[in-house]
Amino acid sequence: MQIRPPTSYPLRIQSANFELSAISLDSCPDSKLPEFAFIGRSNVGKSSLLNALSNQAALARVSKTPGRTREINFFTINRTWSLVDLPGYGYAKASASDRERFNEFVSDYLRERENLGC
């Protein structure tokens, strides 16, 4: 899939909606929209950035406690593309088996998701 940049700048986000939370690659939405994913350490502000970009204070769940995002969260933007909030890594207060499951799930998503653009 070829991802094309917006035709006009600045890009205006006019609508942003939570789509779903996925706990496995199989439970990701069956969508052909291009996806742009946020990945990084726990508690660096991925969800806060998503809220700022969408100009919605509570679109993505934000917590002061690291490791609260434990699923892959999909948000449809302007009905034409998706932002994806991935679980953070590094600080999550979770069992070793849970952390391994997060890492495996995110790795599967990054390697196998066909409409992941960036």
Side-chain angles (χ1 to χ4, degrees):
M1 166 184 273
Q2 182 179 6
I3 306 300
R4 297 177 191 260
T7 56
S8 64
Y9 293 91
L11 174 66
R12 290 196 176 94
I13 294 180
Q14 297 173 333
S15 67
N17 300 300
F18 172 75
E19 189 69 29
L20 65 84
S21 293
I23 58 168
S24 69
L25 194 59
D26 292 337
S27 63
C28 289
D30 185 24
S31 170
K32 299 301 178 200
L33 297 178
E35 295 173 356
F36 301 88
F38 292 130
I39 189 168
R41 292 183 70 88
S42 293
N43 220 35
V44 297
K46 296 179 299 294
S47 299
S48 295
L49 176 61
L50 196 150
N51 288 340
L53 289 172
S54 68
N55 200 29
Q56 294 186 34
L59 181 65
R61 185 173 134 186
V62 176
S63 174
K64 291 182 181 182
T65 305
R68 288 290 186 188
T69 302
R70 299 194 174 204
E71 303 89 18
I72 294 181
N73 297 302
F74 293 83
F75 301 87
T76 302
I77 308 298
N78 294 342
R79 297 185 191 97
T80 58
W81 53 286
S82 295
L83 284 174
V84 181
D85 190 11
L86 298 171
Y89 56 88
Y91 293 113
K93 289 186 179 180
S95 69
S97 62
D98 281 346
R99 283 193 306 269
E100 180 60 32
R101 185 177 53 84
F102 299 155
N103 290 339
E104 185 175 317
F105 175 32
V106 170
S107 293
D108 289 346
Y109 171 81
L110 293 172
R111 279 192 314 267
E112 298 179 33
R113 189 72 172 167
E114 291 183 13
N115 46 333
L116 177 61
C118 182

